[in-house]
Amino acid sequence: MEGADDDVPLILTWEDANSGLLSDDGERNGVGPYDILNTQVIPTAGLPPNYRAHNASLQQSWEMNYQEAAIYLQEGENNDKFFTHPRNPKALAAYLFAHNHIFYLMELLTALLLMVLSLCEAPAVPTLRLDVYVHATLELLALVMVAFELCMKLRWLGFHTFIRHKRTMVKTSVLMLQFVEAIVVLIRQTSHLRVTRALRPIFLVDCRYCGAVRRNLRQIFQSLPPFIDILLLLLFFMIIFAILGFCLFSPNASDPYFNTLENSIVSLFVLLTTANFPDVMMPAYSRNRWSCVFFIIYLSIELYFIMNLLLAVVFDTFNGVEKMKFKSLLLHKRSAIDHAFQLLVSRQRPTGVSLKQFDGLMRFYRPRMSARDRFLTFKTLSSAGAPILSLDDFYKFYEVIGLKWKARRSGEHWFDDLPHTTFLIFKGINLLVKSKAFQYTMYVVVAVNGVWILIETYMLNSGFSWSRIVPLSYIVFLTIYGVDVLLKIIGLGPLAYFSSGWNLFDFSVTVFAFLGLIVLAFNMEPFYFIVVLRSLQLLRVFKIKQRYRNVLDTMFELFPRMASLGLTLIIFYYSFAIVGMEFFADVIYPNCCNASTVADSYRQINVTIGNRTVLDEGYYYLNNFNNILSSFVTLFELTVVNNWYITMEGVTSMTTHWSRLYFMTFYIVTMVVMTIIVAFILDAFVFRMNYSRKNKEPQLDPEDENGIVFEAEVSRDEALDTLELYKQTCPGISSINSIQGVLLAMDRSGSSSLVYLGRRSRTKSDLSMKMYEEEIREWYAEYSRENLPQSDRCLVEEELDNPPLCPDPEHEP
Amino acid sequence: MEGADDDVPLILTWEDANSGLLSDDGERNGVGPYDILNTQVIPTAGLPPNYRAHNASLQQSWEMNYQEAAIYLQEGENNDKFFTHPRNPKALAAYLFAHNHIFYLMELLTALLLMVLSLCEAPAVPTLRLDVYVHATLELLALVMVAFELCMKLRWLGFHTFIRHKRTMVKTSVLMLQFVEAIVVLIRQTSHLRVTRALRPIFLVDCRYCGAVRRNLRQIFQSLPPFIDILLLLLFFMIIFAILGFCLFSPNASDPYFNTLENSIVSLFVLLTTANFPDVMMPAYSRNRWSCVFFIIYLSIELYFIMNLLLAVVFDTFNGVEKMKFKSLLLHKRSAIDHAFQLLVSRQRPTGVSLKQFDGLMRFYRPRMSARDRFLTFKTLSSAGAPILSLDDFYKFYEVIGLKWKARRSGEHWFDDLPHTTFLIFKGINLLVKSKAFQYTMYVVVAVNGVWILIETYMLNSGFSWSRIVPLSYIVFLTIYGVDVLLKIIGLGPLAYFSSGWNLFDFSVTVFAFLGLIVLAFNMEPFYFIVVLRSLQLLRVFKIKQRYRNVLDTMFELFPRMASLGLTLIIFYYSFAIVGMEFFADVIYPNCCNASTVADSYRQINVTIGNRTVLDEGYYYLNNFNNILSSFVTLFELTVVNNWYITMEGVTSMTTHWSRLYFMTFYIVTMVVMTIIVAFILDAFVFRMNYSRKNKEPQLDPEDENGIVFEAEVSRDEALDTLELYKQTCPGISSINSIQGVLLAMDRSGSSSLVYLGRRSRTKSDLSMKMYEEEIREWYAEYSRENLPQSDRCLVEEELDNPPLCPDPEHEP
């Protein structure tokens, strides 16, 4: 092929600038508008001493270029700043060590271990309690691991970059603190007041896999300033009303809510969450009916106006932040592609990347991608089938890279290779299972079952009792479900069947229900009731309507982000739970808090009312901070906000009234997070609605249903050429096999070309690309105008919290 | 002037088409692209029999054209459909009768009287109870008034249009029903179960002055379909979880929340509002700690996901509806201007309106506007000072019509005419009061007072007791405030002072505080504490920051809409209150509901706990439906949602369990209204933020601070010409005086021209005009393309709920 071996890279990386390969040294630095790292002298270690011997050394240079380009593309994908790009082979080794899934997994597991430890530490979950020296040793072990990870990072980043990276510095100092404390615990053999354990989530947040959580946290912090502004307004009104309330209601001796100014403020704070309404009004209301005006005005202003304003402000900020984030990510990726492109072009062909170079890149970028897929990706990128990729082609890199390739065939059944009779039977089942009639029949069955269960349960009215005699209807419905599952597995093939979330759900529900029946036979508590969950299948019926389709699709698209928001919330929970446990563990128990106004909720005692004696059971002692699991449940209750003041007052009455600070802070923090969640859902949904309004005919656009689909046609000649190329360059047998597989498939189908389809699911980024089409063009134009890539590196604030750092002097040409 | 008397109207209204004034009849129907009503034969009643005598009849024709044009413009302003346009002089008389403020006021008062009657009817407020025959007679009286109003409408609309107008028909049938019922009450001398009283707000909603409420209701109904869709999803999940919950928790005998399927559903419905959390979880939680998973999943799905989805869907719909409404209003106004313009042009000048005709129009459109202002409005409309208005000029009509005109003078003090020494003193005070230093000093005083009160109140801690010895600080601060108020009144002039809302607020707070001091001297309960409200002045300090300025400005802009939304809510409250009173009056009393699970909240009895005896005071018996005021408070409590199930269960235990339907319906209705309020605030605020982002330099744009300002310069010649014109045409002495006033002012200032400034406050519509600039251009283009005005009448769905009605056959050319 076109004398690929004679290509000389335009730029050499990690090498002496005075390389013999480049005859003209001046050209080296004047390459295009792109700022490429100053190359460094490569130490000879690991390389043959005379590696400049033409052919071998050329090969070496290319391999290094491929690797650096792959690193650039990875940095673009992960939104890592280029100032953390490895500068020399030593850094490269550390970089490669710290950037693979085993390392990431280790990072994650260490962080999780540290967090899970609190199940076993001092106020431990009873069944999981460990001795002090056991858990302290485990902790030390984990901390050593973290230290090791940090050392790798130091080696990769270099000392200067390391101490400038804020997040890493915070992590380092927390690590040291924890180290000292763990050692103190080991020596004293007892846990002291260790509030610093609340900082443990920092290790988790710093994990590579928790990028989404980090992004959420950043977004929360960015939304904070406007939030705090409105919060001040809220508190201002609260104080004014508290003084007024105190003046108005404190003369009423039977009103415990306003008897001091502090109580007055606390009452109104709780009233803001509506948790004590109308109770807080009742004593005043029973004295004078017009006092309700005070409360109505307060709630109208605070709850119905300012709280909504809060949402509006956060929503507005959130909107802006989302768009800016998208822009910076997009430009960062473009910049990464620019860098990679310059490393891949040769002096002979300075405007394009050939398949050989692309393949070399991909071997580093996606080591496990098959040669066939690499080739197909290249085909998809190259516009109009040109043999080399221009920069504009290469810009599509990230859109194409995630595709899963599959040959387009007429029949795609898993049973295609079976004998004819069997094939016909399977084909029949396949058609049946795929038919609308079958689907709707199943919906009807599910609906009937749902109604049946509803009626049956309603008939039971006098409490649910599990009898050993299983009603016939159970068996009938379960049989139908079982047949349904079997038919579908046979008809669609197990692979296709289990690749759908809905099918997986059906399958597990049915299996659980069967297990329940079997368990029933052994006289244990059965769980046939799981079948009730099958009614969730009816959600599919909702899909018939456009709006539900939108809602459900949005739901599924939102799911990853929602999960990361949930995780963010859990991290906050964790910190608060640790603080709560340190201060309030074992403070709450039955019949505590008799001095407080909420004593009733904690009381467990026989009470005489009139002439009857009843057990007055207050369950609130269960909402305690005795171990981390209880703490989580208690914190969830505080999040839901209803009756949260009972927990607060209970704890306060057993400790000091400064405890209220903890509960109020928690309320405000969850309010921030919850408001952001609401803003997020609102934004995502409105965005989605606007999108589907802009692209009005989703049925005409196959992408809308199946995600993104690309097509690539491969002719026999191309396949042969590629095979030849691979034989020349890449000694791996698997690559050659994979291309030979293509030729084999062509032989089998008897055609001279084969069409492959590349599929991936649609992401929010794809939607954004369509939505902001015009803006994106502007951004790109702006980006091209600013010739120096430094400037757009600064736009990308992700990962780097210290803007003055960039433009980096090292990057000046 | 230019032989105005010879102008012949292009179109004659309410007259025989074969008018002698129009020589060519064909031209009559072929006038431009605008569809004008077929003119009708005018009866001679009220007109001289030979009114076609040239000059007098011409004058008559013009007058009639002016009047009809004014009516068109009014219809455009009020968004009345053109199909209700009066067709003949008889209709015109009724139209005029039914379209003035006295009639509107009568309408409003009648409707209010009807609503207020429920204070005195059967379950009456004790002090306002009236005998049956008194209130029934009053009701009959009010109903007769309504009937009379309807008759006027019938006369104006004609029978055919009348029965096609849905709202009017609903009103008529409700009226008849009420009539019958009122008579039955009078005969039986006792009130029967009159749930239909809940329909009374219909009369109020139909009032001219309640247009905003009508608009809100329409918006609520338009947002309903998507709302209901998501609500179904919500209920679907609720039922599935209810069955699951019943299966899981009913074996637990101590769990009253899930012992039957009905209880299970009700518990989860209440849980959706979080009112019974964590109580509903506690029995199950105390049995098995993992049961909390059920509740956490339920709340996560229902409360944190679907409820937010609900908001998102409503917000999205709301956004669209707002924009469509703005579009339709805009095009309706344009259409009205088109109609009016055609009536004002003469055959001699078919493309423009002269001052004479404009003045004639304005005499009908704004009878109380002075001749000077009419002239100034004309000047503002005419581009480049042309003597006639083109159609494009005339399109600005609605932007200009609300302006308040004032001559621009150098010094605008109220004391300009006082003697020199006094002037200097006043001038000094004026400068002082306007200085920043004075303002900030007052802020500091207010802040100090605020903190002082806070500290003082905190010191009092042991309950607030009013002593007769007034603390010195009170008197000092009050004196400062008094001086502040006096200085400001003197410095700014009472008119300028009281025109600011903030000043009014300061004044009343200060006066009340003084009254409080005086009252203190007479040993009555004082209300010095009103001074606390002065701290609200600190809100002004918030204005220093841009975000607060935005928030506060938005708040004030929102206020009218918020008020109308509040009124809408009150109308819902009223209907629910009536139904509640009819079914649940006197059902709740102390120590009722002992059979229910919420008996504690209603109990008032001595209870022995351990060995102490305390009064267990449950105040919830106060939340009843015994009269309309109590009902309103109870409904407000239900709106706030916390502990609402206690009221529900109390009432349910004393009546049937179908009562729950009432409470659940109320919850869903308020949820709709509240979601819309949230969507509205969100929309308004985000809109406003986008607006101020689009127009980034508000300080450069004087409109942004002072509302909309127009300028008009009048030269002496113009004024003289206008005076001449008025002398010719309009015999009113006041008009001539008003123009002479302009000349006088010129003499006094010694200049040959005078600049007038027209001001009005900015409305949302002005903002929308700027925001949608591009879309508006498109809409106008589209509008011009569709030559037939019917089509855009159909766009305007306001007032007309029956789209098939339009295009109206009567309007076909």
Side-chain angles (χ1 to χ4, degrees), chain B residues 463-615:
Chain B
F464 201 66
S465 57
W466 298 105
S467 62
R468 290 212 52 186
I469 304 113
V470 184
L472 193 66
S473 66
Y474 289 21
I475 295 170
V476 170
F477 279 115
L478 258 189
T479 314
I480 296 177
Y481 292 149
V483 170
D484 168 57
V485 166
L486 274 181
L487 281 181
K488 276 192 180 156
I489 292 181
I490 293 169
L492 303 173
L495 221 75
Y497 180 80
F498 287 112
S499 67
S500 149
W502 281 112
N503 288 338
L504 258 178
F505 175 74
D506 289 354
F507 182 78
S508 45
V509 164
T510 313
V511 164
F512 269 110
F514 268 112
L515 283 180
L517 268 192
I518 292 166
V519 163
L520 200 62
F522 292 97
N523 207 11
M524 282 145 66
E525 192 173 293
F527 39 108
Y528 170 78
F529 61 82
I530 291 275
V531 168
V532 172
L533 287 183
R534 259 247 163 177
S535 313
L536 285 180
Q537 258 207 333
L538 285 177
L539 279 180
R540 283 181 173 190
V541 181
F542 281 116
K543 278 207 103 175
I544 295 168
K545 195 163 176 185
Q546 173 68 34
R547 178 166 297 120
Y548 288 118
R549 195 153 59 233
N550 266 331
V551 168
L552 290 173
D553 286 356
T554 312
M555 216 161 97
F556 284 118
E557 268 168 35
L558 290 187
F559 195 75
R561 267 305 289 281
M562 288 294 284
S564 78
L565 274 170
L567 200 61
T568 313
L569 197 62
I570 286 178
I571 282 171
F572 278 111
Y573 270 35
Y574 185 86
S575 296
F576 273 94
I578 296 281
V579 175
M581 276 154 59
E582 290 294 353
F583 290 112
F584 311 132
D586 298 319
V587 148
I588 297 293
Y589 44 84
N591 295 316
C592 72
C593 325
N594 277 323
S596 75
T597 52
V598 294
D600 279 344
S601 305
Y602 294 92
R603 192 172 289 141
Q604 272 197 317
I605 207 163
N606 288 329
V607 169
T608 313
I609 298 168
N611 47 10
R612 284 183 313 130
T613 300
V614 292
L615 176 68

Side-chain angles (χ1 to χ4, degrees), chain A residues 554-654:
Chain A
T554 313
M555 216 160 98
F556 284 118
E557 268 168 34
L558 290 187
F559 195 75
R561 266 306 288 282
M562 288 294 284
S564 78
L565 275 170
L567 200 60
T568 313
L569 198 63
I570 286 179
I571 281 171
F572 279 110
Y573 270 35
Y574 185 86
S575 297
F576 272 95
I578 295 280
V579 175
M581 277 154 60
E582 290 292 353
F583 290 113
F584 311 133
D586 298 320
V587 149
I588 298 292
Y589 44 84
N591 294 317
C592 73
C593 326
N594 277 323
S596 76
T597 51
V598 294
D600 278 343
S601 305
Y602 294 91
R603 192 172 290 141
Q604 271 198 318
I605 208 164
N606 288 329
V607 168
T608 313
I609 298 168
N611 46 11
R612 284 184 312 131
T613 300
V614 291
L615 176 68
D616 191 355
E617 185 145 35
Y619 287 110
Y620 274 73
Y621 68 92
L622 289 170
N623 305 325
N624 53 39
F625 292 89
N626 291 356
N627 61 57
I628 194 143
L629 294 184
S630 300
S631 302
F632 266 75
V633 175
T634 309
L635 289 177
F636 181 78
E637 287 167 13
L638 294 178
T639 307
V640 177
V641 150
N642 196 63
N643 283 351
W644 67 283
Y645 69 99
I646 295 182
T647 307
M648 174 169 82
E649 291 302 315
V651 169
T652 304
S653 75
M654 302 301 288

Side-chain angles (χ1 to χ4, degrees), chain B residues 268-535:
Chain B
L268 288 186
F269 189 94
V270 177
L271 180 53
L272 179 69
T273 69
T274 73
N276 59 351
F277 195 76
D279 302 328
V280 68
M281 178 176 92
M282 281 306 163
Y285 187 55
S286 89
R287 171 80 61 106
N288 178 352
R289 296 301 153 93
W290 292 107
S291 58
C292 65
V293 174
F294 174 85
F295 296 94
I296 290 176
I297 291 177
Y298 176 76
L299 283 175
S300 304
I301 292 179
E302 292 277 76
L303 186 65
Y304 294 121
F305 190 75
I306 301 186
M307 288 291 257
N308 289 337
L309 216 57
L310 209 63
L311 177 63
V313 171
V314 171
F315 177 63
D316 189 65
T317 316
F318 192 87
N319 256 330
V321 169
E322 281 277 304
K323 199 165 171 180
M324 283 319 296
K325 200 186 74 186
F326 176 70
K327 178 184 173 183
S328 71
L329 280 174
L330 203 71
L331 294 187
H332 185 70
K333 278 183 179 173
R334 206 173 179 80
S335 170
I337 289 178
D338 279 341
H339 280 94
F341 187 77
Q342 286 303 312
L343 286 165
L344 293 178
V345 293
S346 64
R347 301 197 68 200
Q348 284 79 354
R349 262 180 281 101
T351 59
V353 176
S354 73
L355 173 59
K356 186 187 153 199
Q357 272 105 38
F358 184 78
D359 198 73
L361 164 75
M362 291 307 286
R363 267 182 285 123
F364 283 101
Y365 187 69
R366 285 269 191 279
R368 263 176 298 176
M369 198 185 225
S370 77
R372 186 198 70 178
D373 291 356
R374 296 203 294 268
F375 171 61
L376 288 172
T377 309
F378 181 81
K379 285 265 326 165
T380 316
L381 279 177
S382 74
S383 56
I388 59 168
L389 298 179
S390 68
L391 182 57
D392 277 334
D393 292 340
F394 206 53
Y395 278 147
K396 290 184 296 180
F397 186 78
Y398 289 112
E399 283 173 54
V400 167
I401 201 63
L403 299 174
K404 295 256 169 294
W405 291 97
K406 228 178 168 184
R408 185 163 67 185
R409 286 190 290 173
S410 51
E412 285 196 324
H413 310 305
W414 65 280
F415 45 78
D416 279 348
D417 303 332
L418 293 180
H420 192 65
T421 335
T422 335
F423 173 82
L424 280 184
I425 296 171
F426 280 113
K427 181 75 193 164
I429 295 174
N430 179 280
L431 287 178
L432 172 73
V433 164
K434 278 189 168 172
S435 68
K436 287 247 175 236
F438 183 79
Q439 276 178 41
Y440 284 110
T441 315
M442 280 316 294
Y443 290 154
V444 171
V445 170
V446 169
V448 169
N449 192 10
V451 174
W452 192 286
I453 290 172
L454 194 66
I455 292 169
E456 211 170 37
T457 328
Y458 192 74
M459 302 302 232
L460 275 174
N461 239 350
S462 58
F464 201 66
S465 57
W466 298 105
S467 62
R468 290 212 52 186
I469 304 113
V470 184
L472 193 66
S473 66
Y474 289 21
I475 295 170
V476 170
F477 279 115
L478 258 189
T479 314
I480 296 177
Y481 292 149
V483 170
D484 168 57
V485 166
L486 274 181
L487 281 181
K488 276 192 180 156
I489 292 181
I490 293 169
L492 303 173
L495 221 75
Y497 180 80
F498 287 112
S499 67
S500 149
W502 281 112
N503 288 338
L504 258 178
F505 175 74
D506 289 354
F507 182 78
S508 45
V509 164
T510 313
V511 164
F512 269 110
F514 268 112
L515 283 180
L517 268 192
I518 292 166
V519 163
L520 200 62
F522 292 97
N523 207 11
M524 282 145 66
E525 192 173 293
F527 39 108
Y528 170 78
F529 61 82
I530 291 275
V531 168
V532 172
L533 287 183
R534 259 247 163 177
S535 313

Side-chain angles (χ1 to χ4, degrees), chain A residues 74-335:
Chain A
Q74 243 156 26
E75 283 168 337
E77 194 179 9
N78 299 332
N79 200 18
D80 289 331
K81 288 301 123 308
F82 295 131
F83 86 102
T84 63
H85 190 83
R87 299 255 176 287
N88 50 54
K90 209 172 70 183
L92 177 69
Y95 178 90
L96 290 179
F97 185 86
H99 283 78
N100 65 68
H101 289 283
I102 297 169
F103 187 84
Y104 298 158
L105 214 65
M106 194 181 73
E107 229 181 345
L108 185 71
L109 288 178
T110 320
L112 282 180
L113 172 65
L114 270 175
M115 287 185 71
V116 165
L117 271 183
S118 47
L119 282 169
C120 324
E121 285 168 343
V125 179
T127 50
L128 294 173
R129 178 167 292 132
L130 290 180
D131 276 336
V132 171
Y133 64 91
V134 178
H135 70 70
T137 314
L138 273 173
E139 189 179 355
L140 265 183
L141 202 80
L143 289 176
V144 168
M145 294 279 279
V146 175
F148 168 69
E149 288 152 22
L150 271 176
C151 284
M152 288 317 294
K153 204 165 186 181
L154 176 62
R155 200 179 156 80
W156 147 47
L157 285 177
F159 186 69
H160 276 287
T161 319
F162 186 82
I163 58 165
R164 278 175 183 170
H165 198 273
K166 236 191 224 166
R167 184 151 49 86
T168 310
M169 281 319 290
V170 171
K171 192 175 168 182
T172 312
S173 31
V174 171
L175 177 69
M176 289 180 183
L177 191 70
Q178 304 268 5
F179 229 97
V180 173
E181 286 208 293
I183 290 169
V184 168
V185 169
L186 252 187
I187 292 170
R188 293 180 61 222
Q189 286 287 318
T190 170
S191 280
H192 51 280
L193 183 76
R194 281 187 66 191
V195 182
T196 51
R197 287 192 296 155
L199 296 174
R200 277 180 189 165
I202 286 177
F203 301 126
L204 186 65
V205 168
D206 193 53
C207 283
R208 165 70 53 174
Y209 289 142
C210 292
V213 175
R214 229 150 46 224
R215 235 180 338 266
N216 288 332
L217 286 174
R218 200 171 299 116
Q219 223 153 4
I220 288 174
F221 286 122
Q222 277 165 340
S223 306
L224 265 191
F227 191 92
I228 288 174
D229 285 346
I230 307 290
L231 199 67
L232 286 180
L233 203 67
L234 200 79
L235 294 177
F236 174 73
F237 275 106
M238 191 186 295
I239 300 237
I240 287 180
F241 273 89
I243 296 175
L244 261 184
F246 175 68
C247 293
L248 288 170
F249 306 128
S250 62
N252 182 353
S254 65
D255 191 338
Y257 299 101
F258 293 94
N259 53 3
T260 67
L261 187 61
E262 190 194 337
N263 277 351
S264 184
I265 293 175
V266 171
S267 295
L268 288 186
F269 189 95
V270 177
L271 180 53
L272 179 69
T273 68
T274 74
N276 60 351
F277 195 75
D279 302 328
V280 68
M281 179 177 91
M282 280 308 165
Y285 187 56
S286 89
R287 173 78 61 105
N288 179 350
R289 297 300 153 93
W290 292 107
S291 57
C292 65
V293 174
F294 173 85
F295 296 94
I296 290 175
I297 290 177
Y298 176 77
L299 283 174
S300 305
I301 293 179
E302 294 276 75
L303 186 64
Y304 294 121
F305 190 76
I306 302 187
M307 287 291 258
N308 289 338
L309 216 57
L310 210 63
L311 177 62
V313 170
V314 171
F315 177 64
D316 190 64
T317 315
F318 192 86
N319 256 331
V321 169
E322 282 276 306
K323 198 166 170 181
M324 283 320 296
K325 199 185 73 188
F326 177 71
K327 179 185 172 184
S328 72
L329 280 174
L330 203 70
L331 294 186
H332 185 68
K333 278 183 180 171
R334 205 172 178 83
S335 170

